[in-house]
């Protein structure tokens, strides 16, 4: 089933909203690393940094996949108009 440009735009906006939420989560994570380094004698820095690396890698792959799907849908929508 072909998607309309409006539905693709809605998907893009939802992806941007979700990305904003993930970026905020990363901000909280980096603040936790700073606090652990200052107050926790750096016991959890490596685990927190590994978590941040995983989350960044995972989200980047997800966003790449979603952008590719939206581009393909836009290409189809342009041909059918």
């Amino acid at each position: 089933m072909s998607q309309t440009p409006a539905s693709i735009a809605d998907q893009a906006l939802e992806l941007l909203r979700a990305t904003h939420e993930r970026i905020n989560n990363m901000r909280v994570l980096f603040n936790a690393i700073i606090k652990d380094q200052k107050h926790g004698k750096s016991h959890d820095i490596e685990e927190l940094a590994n978590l941040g690396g995983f989350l960044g890698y995972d989200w980047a792959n997800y966003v790449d996949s979603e952008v590719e799907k939206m581009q393909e849908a836009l290409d189809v929508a342009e041909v059918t108009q």
Side-chain angles (χ1 to χ4, degrees):
M1 181 172 99
S2 179
Q3 295 182 21
T4 66
S7 69
I8 298 164
D10 286 342
Q11 290 173 355
L13 287 173
E14 184 56 35
L15 182 61
L16 286 172
R17 288 182 192 103
T19 298
H20 178 266
E21 182 179 331
R22 295 311 181 280
I23 290 170
N24 194 47
N25 291 343
M26 295 291 284
R27 180 189 60 78
V28 170
L29 176 62
F30 286 120
N31 284 338
I33 291 171
I34 290 168
K35 286 179 184 175
D36 185 58
Q37 190 267 333
K38 285 183 180 178
H39 307 293
K41 302 196 182 4
S42 305
H43 295 301
D44 298 318
I45 285 180
E46 186 174 356
E47 283 186 57
L48 291 169
N50 286 333
L51 176 60
F54 168 77
L55 293 174
Y57 177 81
D58 186 57
W59 191 251
N61 284 332
Y62 177 75
V63 168
D64 284 344
S65 173
E66 291 301 300
V67 167
E68 185 176 318
K69 289 177 194 175
M70 283 183 254
Q71 184 61 61
E72 289 171 2
L74 279 172
D75 292 345
V76 168
E78 287 175 0
V79 169
T80 59
Q81 284 186 351

